[in-house]
Coordinates of all heavy atoms in Angstrom, one line a residue:
V30 N 1.6 0.1 5.4 CA 2.6 1.2 5.4 C 3.0 1.6 4.0 O 3.5 0.8 3.3 CB 3.8 0.9 6.3 CG1 4.7 2.1 6.4 CG2 3.4 0.4 7.7
I31 N 2.8 2.9 3.7 CA 3.0 3.4 2.3 C 4.0 4.5 2.4 O 3.9 5.4 3.3 CB 1.7 3.9 1.7 CG1 0.7 2.8 1.7 CG2 1.9 4.5 0.3 CD1 -0.8 3.3 1.5
D32 N 5.0 4.5 1.5 CA 6.0 5.6 1.5 C 5.4 6.8 0.7 O 5.5 6.8 -0.5 CB 7.3 5.1 0.8 CG 8.4 6.2 0.7 OD1 8.2 7.3 1.2 OD2 9.5 5.8 0.2
A33 N 4.9 7.8 1.5 CA 4.3 8.9 0.9 C 5.3 9.8 0.1 O 4.9 10.6 -0.7 CB 3.6 9.8 2.0
S34 N 6.6 9.7 0.4 CA 7.6 10.5 -0.3 C 7.9 9.9 -1.7 O 8.6 10.6 -2.4 CB 8.8 10.6 0.6 OG 9.5 9.3 0.7
N35 N 7.5 8.7 -2.0 CA 7.8 8.1 -3.3 C 6.7 8.5 -4.3 O 5.5 8.3 -4.0 CB 7.8 6.6 -3.2 CG 8.4 5.9 -4.4 OD1 7.9 6.1 -5.5 ND2 9.5 5.2 -4.2
E36 N 7.1 9.1 -5.4 CA 6.2 9.6 -6.4 C 5.3 8.5 -7.0 O 4.3 8.8 -7.6 CB 6.9 10.5 -7.4 CG 7.9 9.7 -8.3 CD 8.6 10.6 -9.3 OE1 8.5 11.8 -9.1 OE2 9.1 10.0 -10.2
N37 N 5.8 7.3 -6.9 CA 5.0 6.2 -7.4 C 4.3 5.4 -6.3 O 4.1 4.2 -6.5 CB 6.0 5.2 -8.2 CG 6.5 5.9 -9.5 OD1 5.7 6.2 -10.4 ND2 7.7 6.1 -9.6
Y38 N 4.0 6.0 -5.2 CA 3.5 5.3 -4.1 C 2.2 4.6 -4.4 O 1.8 3.6 -3.9 CB 3.3 6.2 -2.8 CG 2.2 7.2 -2.9 CD1 0.9 6.8 -2.7 CD2 2.5 8.6 -3.0 CE1 -0.1 7.7 -2.7 CE2 1.5 9.5 -3.0 CZ 0.2 9.1 -2.9 OH -0.9 10.0 -2.9
H39 N 1.4 5.2 -5.3 CA 0.1 4.6 -5.6 C 0.3 3.3 -6.4 O -0.5 2.3 -6.2 CB -0.8 5.6 -6.5 CG -0.1 6.0 -7.8 ND1 0.9 6.9 -7.8 CD2 -0.4 5.7 -9.1 CE1 1.3 7.1 -9.0 NE2 0.5 6.4 -9.8
L40 N 1.4 3.2 -7.2 CA 1.7 1.9 -7.8 C 2.2 0.9 -6.9 O 1.9 -0.3 -6.9 CB 2.7 2.2 -9.0 CG 2.2 3.0 -10.1 CD1 3.3 3.3 -11.1 CD2 1.0 2.3 -10.9
Q41 N 3.0 1.4 -5.9 CA 3.5 0.5 -4.9 C 2.4 -0.1 -4.0 O 2.4 -1.2 -3.6 CB 4.5 1.2 -4.0 CG 5.8 1.6 -4.7 CD 6.8 2.3 -3.9 OE1 6.5 2.6 -2.7 NE2 8.0 2.5 -4.4
K42 N 1.4 0.8 -3.8 CA 0.2 0.4 -3.0 C -0.5 -0.7 -3.7 O -0.9 -1.7 -3.1 CB -0.7 1.6 -2.8 CG -2.0 1.3 -2.0 CD -2.8 2.6 -1.8 CE -4.1 2.3 -1.1 NZ -5.0 3.5 -1.0
E43 N -0.7 -0.5 -5.0 CA -1.4 -1.5 -5.8 C -0.6 -2.9 -5.8 O -1.3 -3.9 -5.8 CB -1.5 -1.0 -7.3 CG -2.6 0.1 -7.4 CD -2.6 0.6 -8.8 OE1 -2.0 0.0 -9.7 OE2 -3.2 1.7 -9.1
T44 N 0.7 -2.8 -5.8 CA 1.5 -4.0 -5.8 C 1.3 -4.8 -4.5 O 1.1 -6.0 -4.5 CB 3.0 -3.7 -5.9 OG1 3.2 -3.1 -7.2 CG2 3.9 -4.9 -5.8
T45 N 1.3 -4.1 -3.4 CA 1.0 -4.7 -2.1 C -0.4 -5.3 -2.0 O -0.5 -6.5 -1.6 CB 1.2 -3.7 -0.9 OG1 2.5 -3.2 -1.0 CG2 1.0 -4.3 0.4
L46 N -1.4 -4.6 -2.4 CA -2.7 -5.1 -2.4 C -2.9 -6.3 -3.3 O -3.7 -7.2 -3.0 CB -3.7 -4.0 -2.8 CG -3.8 -2.8 -1.9 CD1 -4.7 -1.7 -2.5 CD2 -4.4 -3.2 -0.5
K47 N -2.2 -6.3 -4.4 CA -2.2 -7.5 -5.3 C -1.7 -8.7 -4.6 O -2.3 -9.8 -4.7 CB -1.4 -7.2 -6.5 CG -1.4 -8.3 -7.5 CD -0.6 -8.0 -8.8 CE -0.6 -9.1 -9.8 NZ 0.3 -8.8 -10.9
V48 N -0.6 -8.6 -3.8 CA -0.1 -9.8 -3.1 C -1.0 -10.2 -1.9 O -1.3 -11.3 -1.7 CB 1.3 -9.5 -2.5 CG1 1.9 -10.6 -1.7 CG2 2.3 -9.1 -3.7
L49 N -1.6 -9.2 -1.3 CA -2.5 -9.5 -0.2 C -3.8 -10.2 -0.7 O -4.3 -11.1 -0.1 CB -3.0 -8.2 0.5 CG -1.9 -7.4 1.3 CD1 -2.5 -6.1 1.9 CD2 -1.3 -8.3 2.4
K50 N -4.1 -9.9 -1.9 CA -5.3 -10.5 -2.6 C -4.9 -12.0 -2.9 O -5.7 -12.9 -2.7 CB -5.7 -9.8 -3.8 CG -7.0 -10.4 -4.5 CD -7.4 -9.5 -5.6 CE -8.8 -10.0 -6.1 NZ -9.3 -9.1 -7.2
E51 N -3.7 -12.2 -3.3 CA -3.2 -13.6 -3.6 C -3.2 -14.4 -2.3 O -3.4 -15.6 -2.3 CB -1.8 -13.5 -4.2 CG -1.7 -13.0 -5.6 CD -0.3 -13.0 -6.1 OE1 0.6 -13.7 -5.6 OE2 0.0 -12.3 -7.1
L52 N -2.9 -13.7 -1.2 CA -2.9 -14.4 0.1 C -4.3 -14.5 0.7 O -4.5 -15.1 1.8 CB -2.0 -13.6 1.1 CG -0.5 -13.6 0.8 CD1 0.2 -12.6 1.7 CD2 0.1 -15.0 0.9
K53 N -5.3 -13.9 0.0 CA -6.7 -14.0 0.4 C -7.0 -13.3 1.8 O -7.7 -13.8 2.6 CB -7.2 -15.4 0.4 CG -7.2 -16.1 -1.0 CD -7.6 -17.5 -0.9 CE -7.6 -18.1 -2.3 NZ -8.0 -19.6 -2.3
V54 N -6.3 -12.2 2.0 CA -6.5 -11.4 3.2 C -6.9 -10.0 2.9 O -7.0 -9.2 3.9 CB -5.2 -11.4 4.1 CG1 -4.8 -12.8 4.6 CG2 -4.0 -10.8 3.3
D55 N -7.2 -9.7 1.7 CA -7.6 -8.4 1.3 C -8.9 -7.9 1.9 O -9.3 -6.8 1.9 CB -7.6 -8.2 -0.2 CG -8.5 -9.2 -0.9 OD1 -8.4 -10.4 -0.5 OD2 -9.2 -8.8 -1.8
S56 N -9.7 -8.9 2.4 CA -11.0 -8.6 3.0 C -10.9 -8.2 4.5 O -11.8 -7.8 5.1 CB -11.9 -9.8 2.9 OG -11.4 -10.9 3.5
K57 N -9.7 -8.4 5.1 CA -9.5 -8.0 6.4 C -9.5 -6.4 6.6 O -9.3 -5.7 5.6 CB -8.1 -8.5 7.0 CG -8.1 -10.0 7.2 CD -6.7 -10.4 7.8 CE -6.8 -11.9 8.1 NZ -7.5 -12.2 9.3
K58 N -9.6 -6.0 7.8 CA -9.6 -4.5 8.0 C -8.2 -4.0 7.8 O -7.2 -4.5 8.3 CB -10.0 -4.3 9.5 CG -10.0 -2.8 9.9 CD -11.1 -2.0 9.2 CE -11.2 -0.6 9.7 NZ -12.3 0.1 9.1
I59 N -8.1 -3.0 6.9 CA -6.8 -2.5 6.5 C -6.8 -1.0 6.7 O -7.7 -0.3 6.3 CB -6.5 -2.7 5.0 CG1 -6.4 -4.3 4.7 CG2 -5.1 -2.1 4.6 CD1 -6.2 -4.6 3.3
I60 N -5.8 -0.5 7.4 CA -5.6 0.9 7.7 C -4.4 1.4 6.8 O -3.3 0.8 6.9 CB -5.4 1.3 9.1 CG1 -6.5 0.8 10.0 CG2 -5.1 2.8 9.3 CD1 -7.8 1.5 9.8
D61 N -4.6 2.3 5.9 CA -3.5 2.9 5.1 C -2.7 3.9 5.9 O -3.3 4.9 6.3 CB -4.1 3.5 3.8 CG -4.6 2.5 2.8 OD1 -4.2 1.3 2.9 OD2 -5.5 2.9 2.0
V62 N -1.5 3.6 6.2 CA -0.6 4.5 7.0 C 0.4 5.1 6.0 O 1.4 4.4 5.7 CB 0.1 3.7 8.1 CG1 1.0 4.6 8.9 CG2 -1.0 3.0 9.0
Y63 N 0.2 6.3 5.6 CA 1.1 7.0 4.7 C 2.3 7.6 5.6 O 2.1 8.5 6.4 CB 0.4 8.2 4.0 CG -0.5 7.7 2.9 CD1 -1.8 7.2 3.2 CD2 -0.1 7.6 1.6 CE1 -2.7 6.8 2.2 CE2 -0.9 7.1 0.6 CZ -2.2 6.7 0.9 OH -3.1 6.2 -0.1
N64 N 3.5 7.0 5.4 CA 4.6 7.3 6.2 C 5.5 8.3 5.5 O 5.4 8.5 4.3 CB 5.4 6.0 6.5 CG 6.5 6.1 7.5 OD1 6.4 7.0 8.4 ND2 7.5 5.3 7.4
K65 N 6.5 8.8 6.2 CA 7.5 9.7 5.7 C 6.9 11.1 5.2 O 7.4 11.7 4.2 CB 8.3 9.1 4.6 CG 8.9 7.7 4.9 CD 9.8 7.2 3.8 CE 10.4 5.8 4.2 NZ 11.2 5.2 3.1
V66 N 5.8 11.5 5.9 CA 5.3 12.8 5.4 C 6.2 14.0 5.8 O 6.0 15.1 5.3 CB 3.9 13.0 6.1 CG1 2.9 12.0 5.6 CG2 4.0 13.0 7.6
D67 N 7.2 13.8 6.6 CA 8.2 14.8 6.9 C 9.0 15.1 5.7 O 9.6 16.2 5.6 CB 9.1 14.4 8.1 CG 9.8 13.1 7.8 OD1 9.1 12.1 7.5 OD2 11.0 13.1 7.8
A68 N 9.0 14.2 4.7 CA 9.9 14.4 3.5 C 9.1 15.0 2.3 O 9.7 15.1 1.3 CB 10.5 13.0 3.1

């Protein structure tokens, strides 16, 4: 889940993916859900 209304969402996305990589789950199926498009 990504906050599409945040202008730095791409950096936030990278932060999450970095932690997922540390947990060794980045190879799992991931669907990017850009939330808050109403904003």
Side-chain angles (χ1 to χ4, degrees):
V30 185
I31 303 161
D32 180 358
S34 67
N35 191 302
E36 61 182 19
N37 291 296
Y38 73 75
H39 58 290
L40 295 173
Q41 295 183 350
K42 179 180 177 180
E43 289 175 11
T44 298
T45 301
L46 292 175
K47 183 179 177 181
V48 177
L49 293 177
K50 189 171 183 179
E51 289 180 20
L52 294 170
K53 299 179 180 178
V54 296
D55 54 316
S56 60
K57 286 182 176 287
K58 181 70 176 184
I59 301 176
I60 301 295
D61 289 335
V62 181
Y63 287 82
N64 190 26
K65 306 185 184 181
V66 295
D67 57 302

